[in-house]
Amino acid sequence: MKNTVVVGAQFGDEGKAKITDLLAQKADFITRFQGGSNAGHTVVVNNKKYAFHLIPSGILYENKICMIGSGCVIKPDDLKAEIDNITAQGVSIEHFKKCLKISPLAHITLKYHCDIDGYSESELGKNKIGTTKKGIGPTYTDKYARSGIRVEDLFNLETLNKKLDVILPKKNKELEFVYNLKPYSKEEILAECELYREILAPYVDFDWQENLLKIKQEKTILFEGAQGVMLDIDYGTYPYVTSSNPISAGAGIGASMGPFALQEAVGVFKAYMTRVGEGAFITELLDETGEKLRSTGAEFGVTTGRPRRCGWFDAVSARYSVLVGGLTTAAITKLDVLDNFEKIKVATAYKNKKTGEIEKNYPTNVYTHTDYEPVYETLEGWGEDITNCKTYNELPINARKYLQKLEELLGIKISIISVGPDREQTIFI
């Protein structure tokens, strides 16, 4: 297998975890390169469901190293809860200590980051972004403001004290006078950091430079992204986006490897579209069809439990994702959700409701999206259960026609098709 990055190609929740888990079988090293515990990745093995938020989705395999890269932000108590949940399902803590590694350069989410995140969302009211309120955005804000605490700082008390002497007075002013929130004493933050140091200690890879050099020379690497291209801080539906770069170009930076380590980029597309939270969604269905997609696909957020907004496949945004996401091949997930739809629609363009003009390129100014309506092409459904199909030719002819249409619109080859949640319910082309 080539060194591969798995990228969500829509608004997140596309089924990246299953694709990562499958590709991890042939990889030696799996690394998460951005995001934090705001992600929700689900892997199903032998009808047993595992929920991942920060831990790379390849962790279920023996003898594979899984790393939380420098581009991630870590809320250690969330990480501990995630490890506890997975060990309660039968994965040993010794396995985690052997296979899970954390970059010492990753940034730490502290209590005040969560305080600010929650306040900011409530203050925005109807203009809220729709974050998970886990402090991800404020942590990245501090990172780029050069006011962040990194994992390595937790293990050097002299450095930690010096940083807090500079950071905390400014942060407390921000908490009190900007957000009207409770300030923190240095002792409170030091106690929090002490707890976090104990949680992270078994996993931090202080020899990461030497180890990554060997991995780049000798091993097959799988890069796992969170969220999706349409939530990218630069290329997504700004400002309704995440705080990092889920696109393939972000992988080399967030995994400390540079761009030349990447050889293939798999874009994961759901066979229809979903979105959690606020922001533009031109093909959203607010009718019985949208509700049928939601109920059939069990479209509820892994992290928040919020019902997902549902709609038909949007080839306009999909082509945009291929372009800016640097995608070389596609994986289509949840094709089986469409089994009982008599007609299936695909948006091939947008129509400006004011001018009547047809737009085939994605309009990046989301404040204009209310001016557009989707131009649909309607295909015939297949009306039969495909969850037991093992090869492409076993799929009904109309299912194959649907995939061929998507491939034509995307402009890249579809190489993986998921027809159910389990590992075995996957077709490789």
Side-chain angles (χ1 to χ4, degrees):
M1 187 180 84
K2 298 177 180 178
N3 289 348
T4 301
V5 57
V6 176
V7 174
Q10 295 166 325
F11 293 110
D13 307 309
E14 304 93 347
K16 295 180 295 297
K18 177 180 178 179
I19 304 304
T20 300
D21 172 72
L22 288 165
L23 296 177
Q25 296 178 70
K26 297 182 179 179
D28 304 300
F29 181 80
I30 302 98
T31 178
R32 263 283 301 275
F33 62 85
Q34 48 77 222
S37 54
N38 56 336
H41 294 175
T42 302
V43 173
V44 179
V45 182
N46 297 325
N47 293 317
K48 195 172 186 179
K49 185 182 293 186
Y50 298 86
F52 300 106
H53 300 281
L54 187 59
I55 297 168
S57 301
I59 195 67
L60 298 177
Y61 293 101
E62 292 289 339
N63 302 317
K64 296 181 188 292
I65 300 300
C66 293
M67 188 164 196
I68 300 172
S70 61
C72 296
V73 297
I74 300 173
K75 193 169 183 291
D77 44 358
D78 280 358
L79 178 64
K80 181 180 184 302
E82 186 176 346
I83 292 172
D84 289 346
N85 286 336
I86 298 172
T87 54
Q89 292 179 272
V91 179
S92 72
I93 191 66
E94 287 75 22
H95 174 76
F96 277 102
K97 290 179 179 179
K98 181 178 73 171
C99 296
L100 181 62
K101 305 293 180 185
I102 295 173
S103 169
L105 304 185
H107 278 247
I108 295 294
T109 297
L110 297 166
K111 290 178 180 177
Y112 53 70
H113 293 126
C114 297
D115 293 346
I116 291 170
D117 202 8
Y119 178 90
S120 298
E121 274 291 274
S122 62
E123 281 295 293
L124 286 170
K126 67 178 183 179
N127 296 314
K128 65 183 179 178
I129 303 300
T131 78
T132 56
K133 301 181 183 180
K134 289 184 171 290
I136 306 300
T139 308
Y140 275 114
T141 297
D142 279 0
K143 172 180 177 176
Y144 290 109
R146 298 177 289 273
S147 299
I149 300 297
R150 302 203 292 194
V151 170
E152 64 182 3
D153 298 330
L154 302 179
F155 295 85
N156 188 316
L157 292 181
E158 182 179 356
T159 297
L160 183 60
N161 274 279
K162 286 181 178 178
K163 277 196 166 187
L164 289 177
D165 286 340
V166 174
I167 294 168
L168 197 55
K170 296 179 181 178
K171 187 58 65 177
N172 278 335
K173 286 182 181 179
E174 182 184 349
L175 288 166
E176 286 188 272
F177 300 116
V178 176
Y179 299 107
N180 196 29
L181 294 170
K182 180 184 77 71
Y184 287 90
S185 68
K186 184 179 178 182
E187 289 70 27
E188 286 178 297
I189 300 301
L190 283 172
E192 183 183 12
C193 289
E194 181 179 358
L195 174 63
Y196 289 172
R197 181 170 61 251
E198 292 175 3
I199 292 172
L200 300 182
Y203 312 110
V204 180
D205 185 5
F206 289 105
D207 296 321
W208 67 273
Q209 296 179 57
E210 180 180 344
N211 291 334
L212 285 189
L213 183 62
K214 292 179 181 177
I215 286 165
K216 287 179 70 174
Q217 292 173 341
E218 304 171 5
K219 305 294 184 181
T220 301
I221 306 164
L222 181 61
F223 302 82
E224 180 182 18
Q227 291 83 46
V229 174
M230 301 310 295
L231 295 177
D232 185 273
I233 186 66
D234 290 306
Y235 300 104
T237 53
Y238 191 89
Y240 302 98
V241 292
T242 193
S243 302
S244 56
N245 291 112
I247 59 175
S248 61
I253 297 172
S256 309
M257 298 212 189
F260 298 111
L262 296 172
Q263 297 167 325
E264 186 168 62
V266 178
V268 185
F269 297 86
K270 206 172 277 185
Y272 48 100
M273 290 277 281
T274 64
R275 179 167 195 168
V276 170
E278 311 305 315
F281 186 176
I282 290 178
T283 62
E284 182 176 10
L285 297 169
L286 301 174
D287 56 12
E288 291 181 359
T289 302
E291 182 55 44
K292 183 178 178 180
L293 283 170
R294 182 181 298 111
S295 59
T296 307
E299 295 296 352
F300 299 89
V302 177
T303 300
T304 64
R306 290 180 291 182
R308 296 177 184 140
R309 301 155 62 190
C310 297
W312 294 121
F313 191 93
D314 183 350
V316 180
S317 68
R319 287 192 297 267
Y320 176 77
S321 291
V322 172
L323 175 66
V324 301
L327 309 180
T328 60
T329 186
I332 304 297
T333 63
K334 288 200 166 185
L335 185 64
D336 54 297
V337 172
L338 301 180
D339 281 355
N340 295 314
F341 285 80
E342 184 178 345
K343 303 288 184 180
I344 300 169
K345 295 183 179 181
V346 180
T348 58
Y350 300 154
K351 180 181 178 180
N352 190 306
K353 291 181 284 187
K354 294 179 178 178
T355 67
E357 293 180 356
I358 300 299
E359 179 62 70
K360 291 193 174 183
N361 290 322
Y362 186 76
T364 55
N365 183 350
V366 298
Y367 293 100
T368 68
H369 281 202
T370 54
D371 296 337
Y372 293 97
E373 62 184 12
V375 177
Y376 285 122
E377 182 171 337
T378 302
L379 292 89
E380 296 294 326
W382 44 93
E384 58 182 283
D385 185 352
I386 63 170
T387 56
N388 292 316
C389 292
K390 302 298 183 184
T391 67
Y392 180 77
N393 287 333
E394 287 181 42
L395 292 170
I397 183 64
N398 284 346
R400 281 179 274 159
K401 285 182 178 179
Y402 182 65
L403 292 168
Q404 288 162 9
K405 173 54 67 175
L406 296 189
E407 192 170 73
E408 172 192 325
L409 293 167
L410 290 171
I412 56 174
K413 177 180 171 56
I414 295 173
S415 57
I416 304 172
I417 304 162
S418 175
V419 295
D422 211 89
R423 281 175 178 169
E424 287 70 31
Q425 293 176 296
T426 311
I427 298 169
F428 289 88
I429 304 176

